[in-house]
Structures are given as C-alpha cells and as structure tokens.
Amino acid sequence: MVHQGIDGFDMPAGDTVRHAADALRMLADPTRINVLWALMQGETSVTCLAELAGTSPTAVSQHLSKLRLAGLVTNRREGAFVYYQLADPHVAALLRQALYHAGQPQAGATTPAR
C-alpha cells in the first residue's frame, strides 16, 4: 500500500464514514439548519422552533424526528410538552463552520460589475 510508510497516516473506518455522511446529509435542508441554529441558543419546544424556522409545527416535528434518529438532537418530556436541544457542542461547531463558509466568497469567483 502506498501510504503504509507514512507516520501518522490513517483513514477512518467505513462505518464511521457512513455515519458521518448520514449526519451531514441531515444538515442539507434549510429548515433543519434553521431548527439547529435556534437550538444553539438553548432548549426549546416544537412550537417555538416552528415560529423561528418559519414553518408549521408538523413540519418541524418531522425534521426533529429525523435529526433525533441521526443523533444530532435530544429531547426531554415535561408533562405534555417536549423540549429539544442539541445532542452535543460538535453539532453547533459544524453548523457555525458551514454557515461561515457559505458566506465567504468562493475561490476564483469574480465580483459582479457595478
């Protein structure tokens, strides 16, 4: 193997790569990004998340279900209410980085003429 002799060189396991790809795929939706960004501010309910994301509570619930299954958010029940929060701070770091890069000019891009 070509890279065998390089000290410290390693590749992640296939299962780890698939899990990471699944998690990143969950971020590929504007509503989910809005929901996760809102959750970066703290724990909140579906109703509040729907208002912040500009969509219906039903739609937010469906997104939250997928995000929870992907391990990106957790929830807790308090009486009749369910509150959601980010699963860990790495989710916030990843989202901040993605939004930072989305706002940066692309390498080689030209600025439109005025």
Side-chain angles (χ1 to χ4, degrees):
M1 295 179 84
V2 176
H3 298 96
Q4 234 171 356
I6 301 173
D7 286 338
F9 183 87
D10 68 342
M11 293 291 290
D15 287 347
T16 303
V17 170
R18 278 187 291 285
H19 184 69
D22 289 343
L24 290 171
R25 207 172 356 267
M26 286 293 110
L27 297 177
D29 182 274
T31 299
R32 290 185 195 141
I33 289 174
N34 281 323
V35 164
L36 290 169
W37 190 265
L39 290 174
M40 286 171 56
Q41 317 310 309
E43 178 184 74
T44 194
S45 68
V46 171
T47 304
C48 183
L49 289 169
E51 183 180 320
L52 291 168
T55 190
S56 71
T58 303
V60 168
S61 289
Q62 291 173 355
H63 286 292
L64 285 167
S65 176
K66 292 175 183 177
L67 291 168
R68 191 176 53 75
L69 288 173
L72 299 176
V73 300
T74 60
N75 64 6
R76 71 174 179 86
R77 183 172 289 280
E78 189 174 298
F81 296 97
V82 179
Y83 295 94
Y84 289 85
Q85 61 190 2
L86 293 181
D88 69 50
H90 294 104
V91 175
L94 180 62
L95 189 57
R96 273 191 198 96
Q97 196 68 23
L99 289 171
Y100 171 80
H101 282 287
Q104 298 304 303
Q106 300 300 309
T110 58
T111 13
R114 292 184 191 218

